[in-house]
Amino acid sequence: MWDERYATDEFVYGTEPNDFLKANTDKLKPGNVLCLADGEGRNGVFLAKLGFAVTSVDLSAVALKKARRFAEENGVKIKTVCADLDDFVIEPNHWDNIVSIFCNLPDPLRKKVHAAAADGLTEGGRFLLEAYTVRQLEMPGDGGPPVPELMYSAAMLMQDFQSLDIVLAEEVDREIHEGLLHHGRSAVVQLIAQAPRQASIEK
């Protein structure tokens, strides 16, 4: 299904980065970034242009081929991994940042991926997420899964990432204009969380 969705010359979610990610790049930790479900690479390429070492993982080989081409056109390189997130291994204590933009997963896969993401961060590493809430089903805008079982909430995410320090967790309504498939007034949840830093030991 995802290969069919991406099998067009157009970038179905546009080529501009997600607004929430773009507004909060100053909160990311310098270093590497894992972009979950990065699709055609609009967010990964944006981060690579800022100097991050980017790995983009997605289920669709068609999307990742477009992502690599998009990166080349922008004069940067990204690493792409074609994998189902149920099978993809997030290496513990490896990622300075993990970004999840509109990666709405079913339970318990959501819990599995989020637990691995929390463990995958380096000391002081950041996890940044924007996803749809159940109120999206009542919104006039286009975008998001068609069923409530795939929607997130702030409370749900705070539970998933209770091992991290929550910097931001809120549900908001906002205008989204991302290509053909995310468009109009939308209901989203936004999260930024940080892996705890080790307390310094006084000598």
Side-chain angles (χ1 to χ4, degrees), residues 21 45 92 104:
L21 171 63
V45 169
N104 284 71

Side-chain angles (χ1 to χ4, degrees), residues 9-22:
D9 290 336
E10 293 184 80
F11 281 70
V12 296
Y13 296 109
T15 56
E16 292 299 314
N18 170 263
D19 290 341
F20 178 64
L21 171 63
K22 185 176 181 180

Side-chain angles (χ1 to χ4, degrees), residues 168-188:
L168 171 74
E170 64 179 3
E171 298 178 23
V172 299
D173 294 349
R174 74 177 189 91
E175 288 288 328
I176 292 178
H177 299 285
E178 298 179 340
L180 302 173
L181 300 182
H182 286 171
H183 194 78
R185 196 69 179 167
S186 304
V188 300

Side-chain angles (χ1 to χ4, degrees), residues 88-136:
F88 180 72
V89 176
I90 299 177
E91 187 177 345
N93 193 36
H94 180 76
W95 299 100
D96 298 312
N97 306 279
I98 299 178
V99 170
S100 175
I101 301 298
F102 297 123
C103 178
N104 284 71
L105 301 172
D107 185 64
L109 180 56
R110 184 200 84 246
K111 292 180 180 178
K112 175 183 176 181
V113 171
H114 287 177
D119 289 341
L121 293 173
T122 59
E123 180 182 340
R126 295 295 178 99
F127 182 88
L128 182 147
L129 173 149
E130 183 169 62
Y132 288 108
T133 70
V134 70
R135 290 192 60 255
Q136 177 66 13

Side-chain angles (χ1 to χ4, degrees), residues 6 11 13-23 25 28 33-56 58 67 70-71 74 76 78 99-103 128-130 174 178 182:
Y6 291 121
F11 281 70
Y13 296 109
T15 56
E16 292 299 314
N18 170 263
D19 290 341
F20 178 64
L21 171 63
K22 185 176 181 180
T25 52
L28 298 179
V33 185
L34 173 64
C35 293
L36 303 177
D38 198 34
E40 299 160 309
R42 63 192 177 99
N43 295 312
V45 169
F46 166 72
L47 291 169
K49 290 170 71 175
L50 294 179
F52 292 95
V54 176
T55 296
S56 297
D58 198 272
F70 186 46
N74 280 272
V76 295
I78 61 172
V99 170
S100 175
I101 301 298
F102 297 123
C103 178
L128 182 147
L129 173 149
E130 183 169 62
R174 74 177 189 91
E178 298 179 340
H182 286 171

